[in-house]
């Protein structure tokens, strides 16, 4: 949402604007003023969305503190909110990553509290798009449609180089039902998440900071945290089993653990403006980039209601165009040193720079600014995402920061949260061995962040004309002697020590142990050689072929671990399915009944359940039926893994058959799976080149089983008769009920 919603009416069955002074959402109880319990619209607030403005005016967004400001609700906290002094998880930071952890924990029945130093949720700006994998994840929480339908779907990409069209084509898409990048602002996502938490009787505790904490070796709640109310000065003690640091790039929790924030701070600055622009550029409302060999690059992201977000590369050096323009208008500028202080750059100066890059096309403001910011790019990844004892974990910007290219910040946060939360949930409920399960969080997610740095960094350098090397964050030996091969520190968190955390540091560059890599000058200038159209097209072709699916979140394999064991070579012998362990589980279309079709993920409940997927082909072959019968017998026994680890409380079971719905009746084996184990039988009735069996590469002769983790990654695969292999997988980290 870029601005306050204008008034509309639906009196004629469709949305129609009405006079600007109307307030149709306000109900004042005029007809029932004798009933004190009748609904009355609470007072709203109109908040400025931008810290800087243009000559067109100012922009506001409408909000209701009673809904979104948590414990800062001016009418007090609701009766149903009863915060506990002892919780399973304490979450510090209520940006997207912290809220995402909370959403998952709420669905698992895991107790938590979530605090944030800000008085309100984000008003405007920051992240602006979600990848298909983001939406697949929140779909298991029931929130995907609300997020996906907020703004436009990116379907076309236009790239111009030195005033000439380089590329105008269909944007890269994937096999997900959500296809491509969906536009939505971070503030709107936070509001969607906060509404959801309220439905689960949870509030964000506003203007709270973690002033200090200790981790003690004994007791059920070893984390002892001091939470301070910055408005009143009151301090409360909260005991927790686990602490999650989602406190941003300047994370005080990361620093308290002495975890290095390896990487570089670049000299690339973006001037970011959300606005409506009047322009003769032919693709102003198409996603893409405009690149100038002399002045740098701009990135265009179409938004709702005709707005676009424009990222403009800035040169703030003494010889750059901003400095030259200031010197022309202010004779004393050169006397003061000619240095442009970044916080003094104005929207008009950013617009002037954008016009240099867009030349020969022109831009001018056509609406008040919805958001304005100057952002310096850093590329950093925490050396570990977890404390040595796995009681404290980092998510989101506290663990990684990177270029805007690829929209990875918000999207990496959802994968962090989805990965961590189900593991914390099982560990907090004593349903998993924390020493086996929790170390896999840092192992899996740090590797993804390093790839983000590499991919987004390469594209950033293409757009900005930078010669700066992308930091190499894979080599732990080069990063420092305190690293272990799995990314855990040897000098990190220990039991029984105290950590001072003030929550106010503005240094996002890590601590004194960070690795300093050599950075060359990156700004485009008059001396930069022009790039040829051929070279640029070759780069784009190679880049998107290699990384297109990673940019959409679906190409994200995880390393070998207890929850993603080594995959047997697929060509050495017949395989149950042709799918590697540790990759995204495909989501093909299926028939659920004679009246309903959908996607595989529609059958899955959210965390913390594992999903056991059985491929039975036509369910007529003797070998496949015998194999599935053996699996059914083991699973329904008192000693089988199904019963041992909680049955339907821990697993869902789906049987995929190559039959029509009316052909499934009177089958004793299917009835056995359905009645004894609660299996859902679905029908793979699409043509062979697009059905689920082909998507998974399922073995039609012997059948196949796929164990899908709660975060929708493949855990392990097996033939149906290999019940011991499946049980052994769960034995590696689950605790018997």
């Amino acid at each position: 949402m870029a601005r306050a919603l204008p008034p509309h009416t639906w009196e004629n069955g469709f949305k129609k604007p009405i006079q600007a002074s109307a307030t149709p959402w306000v109900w004042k109880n005029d007809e029932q003023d004798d009933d004190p319990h009748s609904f009355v619209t609470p007072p709203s607030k109109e908040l400025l969305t931008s810290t800087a403005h243009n000559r067109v005016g100012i922009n506001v967004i409408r909000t209701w503190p009673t809904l979104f400001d948590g414990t800062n609700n001016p009418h007090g906290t609701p009766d149903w909110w009863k915060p506990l002094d002892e919780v399973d998880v304490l979450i510090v930071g209520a940006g997207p990553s912290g809220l995402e952890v909370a959403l998952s924990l709420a669905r698992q029945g895991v107790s938590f509290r979530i605090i944030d130093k800000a008085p309100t949720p984000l008003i405007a700006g920051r992240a602006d798009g979600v990848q298909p994998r983001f939406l697949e994840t929140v779909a298991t929480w029931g929130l995907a449609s609300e997020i996906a339908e907020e703004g436009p779907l990116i379907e076309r990409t236009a790239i111009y180089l030195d005033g000439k069209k380089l590329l105008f084509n269909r944007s890269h898409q994937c096999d997900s039902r959500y296809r491509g990048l969906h536009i939505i602002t971070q503030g709107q996502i936070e509001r969607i998440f906060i509404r959801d938490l309220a439905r689960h009787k949870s509030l964000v505790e506003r203007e709270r900071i973690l002033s200090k904490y200790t981790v003690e070796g004994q007791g059920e709640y070893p984390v002892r945290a001091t939470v301070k109310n910055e408005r009143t000065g009151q301090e409360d003690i909260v005991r927790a089993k686990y602490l999650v640091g989602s406190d941003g790039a300047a994370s005080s929790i990361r620093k308290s653990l002495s975890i290095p924030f390896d990487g570089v701070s670049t000299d690339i600055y973006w001037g970011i403006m959300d606005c409506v622009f009047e322009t003769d550029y032919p693709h102003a409302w198409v996603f893409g980039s405009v690149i100038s060999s002399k002045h740098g690059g701009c990135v265009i992201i179409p938004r709702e209601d005709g707005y676009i977000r424009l990222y403009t590369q800035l040169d703030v050096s003494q010889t750059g165009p901003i400095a030259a323009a200031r010197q022309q208008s202010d004779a004393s500028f050169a006397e003061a040193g000619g240095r442009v202080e970044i916080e003094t750059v104005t929207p008009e100066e950013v617009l002037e720079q954008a016009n240099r890059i867009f030349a020969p096309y022109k831009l001018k403001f056509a609406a008040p600014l919805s958001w304005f910011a100057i952002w310096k790019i850093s590329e950093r990844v925490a050396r570990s995402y977890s404390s040595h004892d796995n009681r404290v974990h980092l998510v989101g910007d506290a663990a990684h920061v990177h270029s805007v290219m690829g929209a990875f910040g918000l999207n990496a946060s959802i994968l962090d949260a989805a990965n961590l939360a189900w593991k914390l949930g099982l560990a907090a409920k004593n349903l998993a061995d924390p020493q086996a399960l929790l170390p896999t969080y840092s192992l899996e997610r740090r590797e993804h962040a390093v790839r983000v740095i590499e991919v987004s960094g390469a594209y950033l350098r293409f757009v900005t004309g930078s010669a700066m090397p992308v930091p190499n964050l894979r080599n732990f030996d080069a990063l420092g002697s305190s690293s272990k091969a799995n990314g855990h520190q040897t000098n990190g968190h220990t039991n029984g020590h105290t950590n001072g955390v003030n929550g106010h540091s503005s240094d996002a560059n890590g601590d004194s142990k960070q690795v300093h890599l050599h950075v060359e000058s990156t700004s485009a200038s008059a001396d930069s050689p022009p790039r040829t159209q051929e070279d640029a097209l070759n780069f784009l072709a190679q880049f998107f072929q290699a990384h297109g699916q990673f940019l959409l979140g679906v190409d994200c394999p995880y390393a070998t671990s207890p929850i993603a064991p080594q995959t047997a070579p697929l060509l050495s012998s017949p395989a149950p399915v042709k799918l590697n362990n540790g990759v995204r589980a495909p989501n093909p279309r299926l028939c659920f009944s004679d009246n309903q079709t959908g996607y595989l993920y529609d059958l899955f409940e959210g965390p913390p359940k594992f999903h056991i997927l059985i491929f039975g082909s036509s369910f007529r072959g003797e070998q496949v039926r015998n194999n599935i019968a053996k699996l059914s017998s083991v699973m329904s026994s008192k000693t089988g893994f199904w019963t041992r680890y909680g049955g339907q409380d821990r697993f869902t079971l789906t049987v995929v058959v190559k039959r029509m719905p009316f052909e499934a009746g009177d089958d004793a084996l299917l009835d056995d799976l359905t009645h004894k184990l609660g299996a859902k039988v679905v029908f793979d009735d699409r043509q062979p080149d697009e059905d689920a069996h082909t998507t998974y590469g399922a073995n039609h002769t012997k059948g196949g089983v796929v164990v899908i983790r709660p975060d929708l990654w493949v855990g392990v695969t097996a033939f149906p008769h290999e019940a011991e292999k499946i049980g052994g997988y769960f034995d590696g980290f689950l605790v018997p009920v």
Side-chain angles (χ1 to χ4, degrees):
M1 186 184 301
R3 59 195 172 105
L5 292 174
H8 290 84
T9 180
W10 284 260
E11 292 175 359
N12 295 320
F14 59 91
K15 186 178 181 180
K16 180 180 179 181
I18 55 178
Q19 61 182 11
S21 60
T23 55
W25 53 85
V26 175
W27 180 258
K28 296 181 179 180
N29 194 16
D30 294 334
E31 299 176 2
Q32 300 176 346
D33 53 7
D34 58 336
D35 184 354
H37 301 293
S38 183
F39 176 79
V40 175
T41 307
S44 63
K45 272 187 175 182
E46 290 194 341
L47 303 176
L48 290 177
T49 63
S50 182
T51 56
H53 314 287
N54 56 25
R55 296 186 180 92
V56 182
I58 61 173
N59 190 76
V60 297
I61 192 169
R62 186 181 306 109
T63 187
W64 278 265
T66 52
L67 291 178
F68 299 115
D69 288 1
T71 55
N72 273 6
N73 183 343
H75 304 290
T77 56
D79 294 337
W80 48 256
W81 186 66
K82 302 183 186 301
L84 302 173
D85 294 332
E86 294 180 337
V87 292
D88 293 322
V89 183
L90 174 62
I91 304 168
V92 180
S97 58
L99 291 169
E100 288 155 358
V101 172
L103 293 176
S104 179
L105 295 178
R107 283 156 172 76
Q108 299 176 60
V110 176
S111 62
F112 65 90
R113 288 174 66 173
I114 179 168
I115 67 173
D116 194 274
K117 64 183 179 182
T120 69
L122 184 69
I123 297 171
R126 297 189 190 172
D128 48 30
V130 294
Q131 298 166 348
R133 192 56 171 169
F134 183 108
L135 292 166
E136 289 179 343
T137 301
V138 297
T140 65
W141 302 341
L143 301 175
S145 61
E146 189 171 3
I147 294 173
E149 295 164 7
E150 172 75 18
L153 166 67
I154 299 300
E155 297 190 281
R156 294 289 184 270
T157 297
I159 301 177
Y160 275 60
L161 174 61
D162 293 328
K164 297 180 180 179
K165 183 171 67 178
L166 180 67
L167 173 72
F168 176 53
N169 210 333
R170 183 173 178 264
S171 296
H172 57 284
Q173 295 187 349
C174 66
D175 69 328
S176 170
R177 71 193 301 174
Y178 302 106
R179 294 168 28 215
L181 188 70
H182 288 70
I183 300 303
I184 181 172
T185 64
Q186 180 175 321
Q188 281 298 89
I189 286 181
E190 289 187 16
R191 285 167 173 78
I192 290 170
F193 288 168
I194 289 168
R195 285 197 296 269
D196 184 87
L197 284 183
R199 300 178 196 122
H200 292 85
K201 295 186 177 181
S202 296
L203 295 178
V204 176
E205 300 177 50
R206 294 286 176 190
E207 295 185 274
R208 272 35 169 213
I209 64 167
L210 180 67
S211 59
K212 64 179 179 180
Y213 73 93
T214 59
V215 180
E216 302 163 357
Q218 304 297 323
E220 187 178 3
Y221 300 94
V223 178
R224 187 179 191 273
T226 301
V227 175
K228 181 179 180 180
N229 185 324
E230 289 201 296
R231 186 158 45 86
T232 66
Q234 179 181 342
E235 291 190 339
D236 297 313
I237 302 299
V238 179
R239 305 298 296 255
K241 296 177 182 178
Y242 298 100
L243 175 66
V244 173
S246 53
D247 51 340
S251 172
S252 296
I253 293 177
R254 184 189 67 240
K255 294 175 184 178
S256 75
L257 295 170
S258 299
I259 294 178
F261 207 25
D262 299 317
V264 299
S265 292
T266 75
D267 64 351
I268 300 175
Y269 290 88
W270 291 112
I272 313 172
M273 301 185 293
D274 285 356
C275 198
V276 178
F277 294 91
E278 183 179 320
T279 179
D280 58 352
Y281 173 64
H283 300 299
W285 292 274
V286 174
F287 175 79
S289 302
V290 177
I291 303 168
S292 164
S293 296
K294 180 178 180 180
H295 296 293
C298 286
V299 178
I300 302 169
I301 300 177
R303 295 274 309 280
E304 66 282 4
D305 298 328
Y307 281 74
I308 68 170
R309 173 164 294 180
L310 186 65
Y311 290 88
T312 301
Q313 185 183 355
L314 302 178
D315 181 352
V316 294
S317 68
Q318 291 177 299
T319 58
I322 295 178
R326 288 193 176 188
Q327 187 165 336
Q328 290 177 358
S329 61
D330 182 2
S332 65
F333 178 77
E335 297 174 4
R339 178 180 176 83
V340 180
E341 298 297 336
I342 195 65
E343 65 273 7
T344 68
V345 175
T346 67
E348 284 72 21
E349 288 176 319
V350 175
L351 183 66
E352 289 176 7
Q353 174 67 359
N355 274 291
R356 297 183 188 103
I357 294 170
F358 269 78
Y361 304 106
K362 297 295 183 183
L363 296 162
K364 66 179 182 179
F365 293 125
L369 282 171
S370 177
W371 188 54
F372 177 79
I374 306 295
W375 188 35
K376 180 179 182 179
I377 290 177
S378 290
E379 298 171 318
R380 297 185 179 277
V381 178
R383 200 172 299 176
S384 174
Y385 283 19
S386 304
S387 63
H388 195 61
D389 58 10
N390 287 295
R391 289 291 179 180
V392 185
H393 303 274
L394 306 173
V395 294
D397 287 354
H400 46 78
V401 293
H402 26 71
S403 155
V404 300
M405 312 305 288
F408 281 112
L410 179 60
N411 290 280
S413 78
I414 192 75
L415 302 188
D416 290 347
N419 189 296
L420 176 63
W422 72 266
K423 298 172 183 178
L424 285 182
L426 290 176
K429 289 187 168 185
N430 299 316
L431 296 172
D433 177 3
Q435 300 309 313
L437 185 58
L438 295 182
T440 64
Y441 169 62
S442 184
L443 174 69
E444 293 182 334
R445 293 305 305 148
R446 187 187 182 279
E447 184 176 342
H448 176 262
V450 170
R451 188 177 175 192
V452 168
I453 295 291
E454 295 168 347
V455 173
S456 67
Y459 197 59
L460 170 74
R461 285 150 179 80
F462 167 75
V463 171
T464 61
S466 169
M468 176 183 63
V470 177
N472 179 5
L473 302 177
R474 293 184 179 272
N475 188 338
F476 278 102
D477 292 334
L479 292 176
S481 59
S482 66
S483 302
K484 288 184 177 180
N486 65 358
H488 283 209
Q489 294 172 230
T490 59
N491 62 346
H493 187 78
T494 57
N495 289 340
H497 78 282
T498 301
N499 300 272
V501 183
N502 59 31
H504 290 292
S505 173
S506 60
D507 176 14
N509 297 333
D511 53 34
S512 60
K513 295 183 180 180
Q514 71 191 35
V515 176
H516 297 278
L517 302 180
H518 176 66
V519 182
E520 300 176 8
S521 176
T522 64
S523 298
S525 69
D527 298 327
S528 300
R531 282 170 279 183
T532 67
Q533 295 256 329
E534 182 180 2
D535 288 343
L537 284 171
N538 286 338
F539 169 86
L540 292 171
Q542 295 172 13
F543 179 84
F544 286 109
Q545 182 177 3
H547 306 299
Q549 298 305 297
F550 181 70
L551 291 165
L552 297 172
V554 296
D555 174 15
C556 182
Y558 285 153
T560 299
S561 74
I563 58 173
Q566 182 69 44
T567 307
L570 296 180
L571 299 179
S572 62
S573 60
V577 297
K578 295 178 181 178
L579 191 66
N580 293 321
N581 298 337
V583 303
R584 165 186 174 261
N587 186 27
R589 289 180 181 268
L590 289 161
C591 172
F592 299 159
S593 69
D594 50 5
N595 294 316
Q596 184 183 10
T597 65
Y599 287 84
L600 175 64
Y601 285 2
D602 295 339
L603 303 170
F604 296 165
E605 300 174 39
K609 290 193 176 183
F610 290 83
H611 314 293
I612 299 176
L613 191 61
I614 301 176
F615 287 95
S617 188
S618 65
F619 223 68
R620 293 186 174 89
E622 182 176 346
Q623 193 169 358
V624 70
R625 289 183 65 86
N626 288 340
N627 288 346
I628 293 175
K630 291 177 183 177
L631 177 63
S632 175
S633 176
V634 171
M635 290 175 65
S636 58
S637 70
K638 293 182 178 180
T639 59
F641 71 86
W642 177 271
T643 305
R644 190 161 68 247
Y645 294 118
Q648 294 184 51
D649 290 336
R650 186 63 49 238
F651 306 105
T652 66
L653 182 61
T654 303
V655 184
V656 184
V657 296
K658 290 288 296 179
R659 287 186 174 184
M660 290 293 177
F662 57 81
E663 296 177 305
D666 299 324
D667 189 303
L669 181 53
L670 284 178
D671 289 344
D672 200 46
L673 290 165
T674 302
H675 296 136
K676 289 185 178 180
L677 301 172
K680 299 174 183 176
V681 179
V682 295
F683 309 97
D684 197 13
D685 61 359
R686 299 176 75 84
Q687 60 192 36
D689 60 353
E690 61 177 3
D691 68 0
H693 279 73
T694 297
T695 300
Y696 274 76
N699 191 307
H700 282 275
T701 302
K702 297 181 178 181
V705 177
V706 181
V707 174
I708 300 175
R709 298 169 10 178
D711 55 1
L712 305 178
W713 262 258
V714 174
V716 72
T717 63
F719 287 108
H721 64 276
E722 296 179 314
E724 290 185 0
K725 178 180 178 181
I726 302 170
Y729 170 75
F730 292 117
D731 291 341
F733 57 93
L734 289 183
V735 173
V737 176

